[in-house]
Amino acid sequence: MTTRVTEMLGIQYPVIQGGMAWVAEYHLVSAVSQAGGLGIIGAGGASAEFVRGQIRKVKERTEKPFGVNLMLMNPEADAIAQVIVEEGVKVVTTGAGNPGRYLPMWREAGVTVIPVVASVAMARMMERAGAQGVVAEGTESGGHIGAASTMTLVPQVADAVSIPVIAAGGIADGRGLAAALMLGAEAVQMGTRFIVARESVVHENYKKKVIGARDIDSEVTGMSHGHPVRQLRNKMTREYVKLEKEGAPFEELEQLTLGALRKAVVEGDVVNGTLMAGQCAGLVQKEQTCEEMIREIMEQAEKLLSPRS
Ligand code: TUI
């Protein structure tokens, strides 16, 4: 399956792994790239030197293309943007903000820049600024989210820009990939399904929660202060939402989530930790290698897209 995205990135399949903080480290990233997709290191809130180490470890494990996601709220964002250039990273995605100030520098260094956007306006702005593609991410996604659904956002972004569009949010299988292509996307980005990959270092407890989740088991916190985050419902989110309803100040709410993603991913604390996952967690059934996942997704999508007799 060849699209402008597979050609631009030099990958075999139009499947990109989301740059999830803590989750998308070198084991997962190299496994996805090795399997013919695009693995992306999630810089999240990490330091620039940590990200440099991750980039070097991926390079030791695969010759294939991979990327780095720069989370723009990271206090070391400037330094990480520089590390991306210094280490010769070929593809960068960004999240949770406007990467405009880094675009000239990245483009000059020959980096392919693909910002994650949650609106048509932002997609247009990124195209004008010189981005070579956009990930249009619907509110079904895990983590930091926008307001529009994938079903409505992807075709509107595809109509608005001429650079290739990658669909994200709510996609976990070949049906999602086929549907995304029908909506005008030329690849998909998936996060939640890759959380449970065999090569993912995410704690077993977290993986079990994703596999056991139903369609309505995620909850959005942070709506009250304009930074909505989707994750699986647990004791922490119940407390958070209760405090939000009582009008608690941001500083008090923040105490509940400080270090909570690490707690979930590394320590397996599924009670007080943040279990970031999208609405498609209900579609995620089992742990598999990245290669098995991508093969299954491609076979299902190709069957759906082939002309029927
Ligand atoms: O970035 C993500 N997902 C993330 S980042 C993250 S780390 C985090 N942890 C705790 C609290 C908050 C963040 C976890 N998940 N997805 C990409 C994405 N970007 N979704 C939505 C956006 C976005 C939002 C606003 C992109 C641009 C934007 O524009 C704002 C502006 O500056 O105009």
Side-chain angles (χ1 to χ4, degrees), residues 71 73 95-98 116 118 122 137 143-144 229 276:
M71 205 279 283
M73 295 191 296
N98 182 343
V116 180
M122 191 73 182
E137 186 185 274
H144 181 90
V229 172
M276 287 191 194

Side-chain angles (χ1 to χ4, degrees), residues 27-96:
H27 294 94
L28 180 65
V29 173
S30 54
V32 172
S33 288
Q34 208 42 39
L38 186 80
I40 297 185
I41 296 167
S47 72
E49 288 317 303
F50 181 84
V51 175
R52 193 193 300 279
Q54 292 286 312
I55 294 167
R56 292 185 176 174
K57 286 195 174 103
V58 175
K59 283 185 200 160
E60 281 168 17
R61 289 177 167 236
T62 184
E63 306 259 286
K64 302 211 176 167
F66 67 94
V68 171
N69 174 268
L70 176 58
M71 205 279 283
L72 292 159
M73 295 191 296
N74 184 318
E76 289 196 31
D78 288 357
I80 297 167
Q82 193 61 46
V83 163
I84 287 166
V85 172
E86 286 165 10
E87 295 296 321
V89 173
K90 299 285 189 302
V91 187
V92 61
T93 63
T94 61

Side-chain angles (χ1 to χ4, degrees), residues 272-289:
N272 300 301
T274 302
L275 300 168
M276 287 191 194
Q279 290 182 328
C280 65
L283 291 169
V284 176
Q285 307 290 353
K286 56 179 183 287
E287 192 176 65
Q288 286 170 310
T289 65

Side-chain angles (χ1 to χ4, degrees), residues 11-204:
I11 55 177
Q12 208 172 344
Y13 305 113
V15 176
I16 297 174
Q17 161 255 309
M20 300 165 281
W22 288 101
V23 175
E25 51 69 74
Y26 71 94
H27 294 94
L28 180 65
V29 173
S30 54
V32 172
S33 288
Q34 208 42 39
L38 186 80
I40 297 185
I41 296 167
S47 72
E49 288 317 303
F50 181 84
V51 175
R52 193 193 300 279
Q54 292 286 312
I55 294 167
R56 292 185 176 174
K57 286 195 174 103
V58 175
K59 283 185 200 160
E60 281 168 17
R61 289 177 167 236
T62 184
E63 306 259 286
K64 302 211 176 167
F66 67 94
V68 171
N69 174 268
L70 176 58
M71 205 279 283
L72 292 159
M73 295 191 296
N74 184 318
E76 289 196 31
D78 288 357
I80 297 167
Q82 193 61 46
V83 163
I84 287 166
V85 172
E86 286 165 10
E87 295 296 321
V89 173
K90 299 285 189 302
V91 187
V92 61
T93 63
T94 61
N98 182 343
R101 65 187 181 282
Y102 304 120
L103 262 144
M105 168 182 125
W106 284 336
R107 289 299 313 268
E108 198 172 316
V111 185
T112 300
V113 186
I114 308 179
V116 180
V117 302
S119 69
V120 167
M122 191 73 182
R124 280 209 175 99
M125 196 191 298
M126 291 299 103
E127 179 176 48
R128 274 201 306 274
Q132 288 109 314
V134 286
V135 176
E137 186 185 274
T139 195
E140 295 92 323
S141 287
H144 181 90
I145 50 169
S149 68
T150 301
M151 180 73 95
T152 58
L153 181 67
V154 172
Q156 291 184 82
V157 170
D159 283 347
V161 299
S162 47
I163 51 178
V165 177
I166 295 152
I171 300 165
D173 59 23
R175 293 171 297 183
L177 169 55
L181 296 172
M182 294 290 109
L183 295 176
E186 297 185 58
V188 293
Q189 176 178 279
M190 304 194 310
T192 304
R193 182 138 180 206
F194 285 119
I195 292 174
V196 309
R198 181 83 30 89
E199 297 91 341
S200 143
V201 297
V202 171
H203 196 285
E204 204 52 37

